[in-house]
Amino acid sequence: MRIECPPLPFADDALEPHMSAETLRLHHGKHQKAYFDKLQALVAGTDFADLDLETIIVSTAKARGAKPKAIFDNAAQLWNHGFFWRSLAPAGGGLPAALAQRLERDFGGFARFRERFAAAAAGLFGSGWVWLAERKGKLEILALSNAGTPIADGASRPLLTLDVWEHAYYVDYRNRRDQFTAAFLDRLANWDFAAQRLASRATAFDPAAPGAALRA
Ligand SMILES: [Fe+2]
């Protein structure tokens, strides 16, 4: 079994007051753990058992049938969460110059990017993920439902993500997804991570790896 449960790269109270320890304990310890446990049960004894997470996701992304769909959903959720933890930083942080320049070029500046990202989060019906990604050399915002992930078809390279499932914000913000999104964009987003992803040209990412978890 090569699948691992991505660790939190910071203490569970490190993002307070913007994201509480209670939220992180539930989100990481219960929700992510459930995806991990379900995935392990689904792939046990199958050819998937020895594959890495990204290969499982790509292999099942277009598969039909209840079991492959369940494998995709749980594998993608596990990968997305690992990417999400890296998209958060306890101290927030400024925008690296190289990323700021790209946001300027592709969105008309950070303010316009922020506006469009927030609108994508607000407009995503139900559960899902909002991504900053790069496609064909251009930055884009993707709003993907449920377990949607840019690595499923390899067309876009993810740089940063926000989990907009209710379990990500209901404890702290109740139904105010807009406030949660604002806290992410203004206080928690790990712009250094996004800039590293952009600079590294890496597509692959190992959510269970320690450190920056960038893989060329
Ligand atoms: Fe989540």
Side-chain angles (χ1 to χ4, degrees):
M1 173 64 71
R2 299 176 59 187
I3 303 164
E4 293 176 52
C5 205
L8 268 186
F10 34 70
D12 59 14
D13 63 353
L15 304 182
E16 290 192 336
H18 311 295
M19 190 181 291
S20 67
E22 182 183 2
T23 286
L24 277 175
R25 281 196 291 269
L26 287 167
H27 199 170
H28 181 264
K30 302 293 183 186
H31 290 279
Q32 179 182 279
K33 179 69 161 48
Y35 298 125
F36 176 70
D37 290 344
K38 284 177 196 164
L39 181 62
Q40 279 196 308
L42 284 162
V43 302
T46 74
D47 292 343
F48 292 112
D50 293 323
L51 301 179
D52 64 63
L53 207 46
E54 290 191 17
T55 306
I56 293 173
I57 291 166
V58 171
S59 318
T60 54
K62 292 192 171 69
R64 300 199 179 274
K67 185 165 180 179
K69 176 73 167 56
I71 290 173
F72 171 82
D73 284 343
N74 286 283
Q77 281 296 83
L78 194 57
W79 193 94
N80 288 353
H81 279 92
F83 201 92
F84 178 51
W85 310 136
R86 298 293 176 190
S87 297
L88 301 167
L95 207 55
L99 181 58
Q101 286 167 9
R102 291 295 300 276
L103 294 176
E104 180 70 38
R105 191 192 79 181
D106 295 339
F107 295 103
F110 179 79
R112 280 290 296 144
F113 157 76
R114 189 194 179 289
E115 194 177 297
R116 286 180 53 184
F117 192 99
L124 180 56
F125 185 78
S127 300
W129 301 82
V130 181
W131 302 84
L132 172 63
E134 184 186 45
R135 178 184 169 89
K136 295 182 178 174
K138 193 162 188 283
L139 300 189
E140 61 182 3
I141 293 166
L142 303 171
L144 304 179
S145 297
N146 301 319
T149 181
I151 66 164
D153 61 8
S156 299
R157 200 163 64 86
L159 307 179
L160 199 76
T161 194
L162 176 63
D163 183 344
V164 294
W165 283 61
E166 282 190 348
H167 66 227
Y169 59 87
Y170 219 82
V171 168
D172 298 327
Y173 298 90
R174 298 303 177 193
N175 59 319
R176 299 302 307 271
R177 184 188 285 183
D178 58 334
Q179 291 181 357
F180 170 64
T181 301
F184 173 73
L185 289 167
D186 299 335
R187 304 286 183 177
L188 296 174
N190 191 343
W191 303 115
D192 280 337
F193 173 72
Q196 284 174 43
R197 291 275 306 166
L198 191 59
S200 76
R201 312 297 306 164
T203 298
F205 168 80
D206 181 355
L214 292 165
R215 218 167 62 202

